[in-house]
């Protein structure tokens, strides 16, 4: 590839390992920052196991610090949003004048954070629709899905966005370019806010448990409608049947535990602000009441804080 | 006393032991059904410890079954509402034609249950404002408060209600007669629904934690306002400043854990229907939306079910 010769991946969790690994497996020049699991990944590579995805990157270009990685053309950001402050020191050594920053993180506020510190013109947002689990450093289990939606943070898609999508597609990653990135983010939150939130707050249940319980199902739908209304008031009218379509898709997932629930069960920090808090604040700033989200956000924040 | 010579107490948890014990200590003829802890209570009596309440009933009239207790004039019902079905066999042996049933249980629906099975004219409701903890059978810790509000289920206060209140007062139980029992029940729910619910759903925190966290405090206030609106639509206009007054009272409680939270932590069943479910159903039947309660109820129900 000519437009994106040198790619850095920051964050070697499930998302970073999967997409970075798939790009490397597809022949891209990918450099991984491995602050954890360096020895293991240098020794065993990155392995992805699953019914639909199975590959092994045997030789991983890994680094213990970003200082030693050198400037790159594209930085894939796959850290937890709760670690964003670390980006302030991790990213600068990777930048040249035209380095693109593609955040694959969840929720709202990550593009704004990058734009504020590194310039809006660098920032591209990516939404990952995928069910993964990191078993150990470099060992990723793939359950389902995998497509990515990318879009420019500042304005409509450019030629570089389409080039990037083509690069992803060449490496067998299904990728679509969106003209309104924030509309896509809100659309994804229509699912993440209820299902990631309720599975945790209801005591570690699955998406199937929510659909089966009339009260929880109704609570999920109520949250979805709040998010749709909030998105509208923030200037992003979502597709008409988005709630129905997502409920039907959830039905096909079976007894699925969202990644945030697995994180929570494993004692890892929840992305409370990116997924729940920021959506609430943006809605409230526009005078949109979100009583269900307000309560769920307060509960999740407390659950997250009191566990540490 | 002449009007209530023979009193039965069903349920020897904190509430039954405290109020039954206090009546016995004050000289009433009280008979305790002790399905659990019979030997311990026969041996050691009922002891209440605390800064404001300290007494010891050394000789407890205890029974293993209600068959052996004989008919009584007043039955104090202090079972968990989740055990109400047991009352169908426990109560009949205690009844004569004029036996009064005084339920000291939480929430909504208990008077209706008793009325349906034993006749509305027998039923009196009692609300206990007290902070207690049962350490072991017969050993009760008293933290604060203790007053009781009683009222007729079917209509306004009668002379028997006032006689009962006098009997309580004679035994040093502060007791007030209410003309609108259901208004009092809704008033109490203005506190119980948010504080009992959120302390559990937020991961086992105290009432002080709720007041200190702006999000949880706002969630509590939102629930309070929903309950006030629901009560109004159910025909019970609550005192104007009920939410403010209860918030101020909560401020004085310190780091308090409601009894339902202690129950939950100890693995005991929550009175999900009596406290949260029934209020929601009554509001919904009158077309009052309660989005916050709907969500909280669904979460608590799931937390309760998935723990067993």
């Amino acid at each position: 590839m000519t437009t994106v010769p040198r790619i850095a991946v920051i964050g070697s969790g499930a998302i970073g390992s999967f997409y970075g690994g798939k790009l490397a497996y597809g022949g891209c020049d990918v450099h991984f920052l491995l602050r954890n699991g360096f020895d293991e990944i240098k020794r065993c590579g990155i392995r992805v196991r699953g019914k639909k995805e199975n590959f092994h990157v045997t030789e991983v270009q890994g680094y213990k610090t970003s200082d030693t990685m050198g400037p790159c053309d594209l930085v894939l950001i796959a850290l937890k949003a709760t670690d964003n402050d670390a980006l302030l020191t991790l990213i600068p050594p990777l930048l040249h004048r035209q380095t693109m920053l593609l955040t694959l993180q969840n929720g709202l506020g990550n593009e704004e954070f990058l734009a504020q510190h590194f310039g809006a013109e660098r920032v591209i947002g990516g939404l990952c629709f995928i069910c993964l689990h990191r078993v150990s450093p470099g060992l990723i289990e793939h359950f389902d899905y995998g497509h990515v939606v990318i879009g420019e943070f500042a304005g409509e898609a450019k030629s570089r966005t389409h080039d990037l999508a083509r690069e992803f597609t060449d490496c067998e990653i299904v990728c679509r370019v969106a003209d309104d990135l924030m509309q896509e983010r809100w659309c994804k939150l229509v699912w993440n806010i209820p299902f990631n939130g309720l599975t945790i707050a209801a005591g570690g249940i699955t998406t199937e448990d929510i659909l089966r319980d009339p009260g929880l199902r109704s609570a999920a739908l109520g949250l979805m409608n709040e998010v749709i209304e909030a998105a509208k008031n923030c200037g992003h009218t979502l597709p008409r049947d988005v709630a129905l379509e997502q409920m039907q898709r959830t039905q096909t997932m079976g007894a699925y535990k969202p990644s945030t629930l697995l994180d929570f069960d494993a004692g890892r920090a929840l992305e409370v602000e990116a997924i729940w808090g920021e959506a609430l604040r943006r809605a409230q700033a526009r005078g949109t009441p979100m009583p269900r989200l307000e309560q769920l956000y307060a509960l999740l924040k407390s659950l997250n804080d009191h566990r540490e």
Side-chain angles (χ1 to χ4, degrees), chain A:
Chain A
M1 186 211 186
T2 52
T3 52
V4 184
R6 195 172 164 82
I7 300 174
V9 176
I10 299 184
S12 53
I15 291 284
S17 302
F18 180 85
Y19 289 106
K22 208 154 159 83
L23 289 169
Y25 191 73
C28 290
D29 180 24
V30 186
H31 303 260
F32 293 85
L33 176 64
L34 305 172
R35 294 184 298 166
N36 301 309
F38 178 86
D39 295 336
E40 203 168 334
I41 293 175
K42 286 300 277 185
R43 193 171 60 244
C44 306
I46 292 173
R47 291 156 294 164
V48 172
R49 306 189 303 205
K51 279 186 195 160
K52 299 178 189 168
E53 294 280 358
N54 257 297
F55 60 86
H56 188 184
V57 182
T58 49
E59 303 284 324
V60 171
Q61 304 186 86
Y63 305 80
K64 286 190 174 175
T65 68
S66 71
D67 295 333
T68 51
M69 295 172 80
C72 293
D73 303 298
L74 171 68
V75 182
L76 283 192
I77 297 158
L79 276 188
K80 282 269 141 69
T82 47
D83 292 335
N84 273 355
D85 280 349
L87 295 174
L88 300 181
T89 51
L90 295 176
I91 286 182
L94 306 174
L95 297 180
H96 59 56
R97 210 169 55 82
Q98 293 199 301
T99 302
M100 296 180 283
L101 304 175
L102 171 59
T103 165
L104 299 178
Q105 297 165 294
N106 278 320
L108 299 177
N110 297 304
E111 285 91 0
E112 287 80 354
F113 177 86
L114 294 171
Q116 183 192 341
H117 293 285
F118 306 108
E121 72 288 352
R122 294 187 188 276
V123 181
I124 303 171
L127 294 88
C128 307
F129 297 85
I130 192 159
C131 305
L132 294 172
H133 171 56
R134 192 184 77 155
V135 181
S136 60
L139 180 57
I140 311 297
E141 239 171 320
H142 175 263
F143 299 113
D144 211 352
Y145 304 103
H147 69 282
V148 174
V149 175
I150 63 174
E152 292 287 336
F153 170 62
E156 297 200 344
K158 304 177 185 170
S159 65
R160 73 173 185 183
T161 337
H162 290 285
D163 288 345
L164 197 55
R166 202 170 308 118
E167 185 68 12
F168 274 54
T169 308
D170 287 349
C171 294
E172 308 276 322
I173 298 168
V174 178
C175 184
R176 173 167 70 78
V177 172
D179 269 331
D180 183 347
L181 174 67
M182 284 304 134
Q183 187 197 36
E184 304 284 340
R185 287 254 175 247
W186 278 102
C187 240
K188 193 157 191 272
L189 286 177
V190 171
W191 197 88
N192 286 139
I193 282 179
F195 285 98
N196 294 39
L198 294 175
T199 51
I200 295 169
I205 62 175
T206 68
T207 54
E208 194 170 57
D209 293 324
I210 291 177
L211 295 184
R212 278 184 185 164
D213 178 304
L216 286 169
R217 189 190 176 94
S218 171
L221 266 173
L223 284 163
M224 285 177 146
N225 287 329
E226 282 190 3
V227 178
I228 292 166
E229 188 64 22
K232 194 174 148 197
N233 290 345
C234 290
H236 309 284
T237 300
L238 306 189
R240 181 193 289 263
D241 287 333
V242 60
L244 181 65
E245 185 271 321
Q246 292 195 2
M247 285 305 246
Q248 284 170 346
R249 184 163 52 84
T250 313
Q251 204 88 46
T252 70
M253 287 183 182
Y256 177 61
K257 290 194 171 193
S259 58
T260 42
L261 171 58
L262 300 177
D263 281 347
F264 183 77
D265 284 348
R268 290 189 289 268
L270 286 180
E271 294 170 304
V272 179
E273 300 309 327
I275 301 180
W276 297 277
E278 189 58 22
L280 179 64
R281 283 188 289 274
R282 292 189 189 187
Q284 286 177 336
R286 282 160 186 82
T288 313
M290 300 186 80
R292 294 174 180 84
L293 177 57
E294 184 190 53
Q295 185 183 74
L296 182 60
Y297 165 60
L299 292 175
L300 292 168
K301 204 155 167 280
S302 175
L303 287 169
N304 191 50
D305 292 347
H306 284 82
R307 195 194 35 172
E308 291 167 331

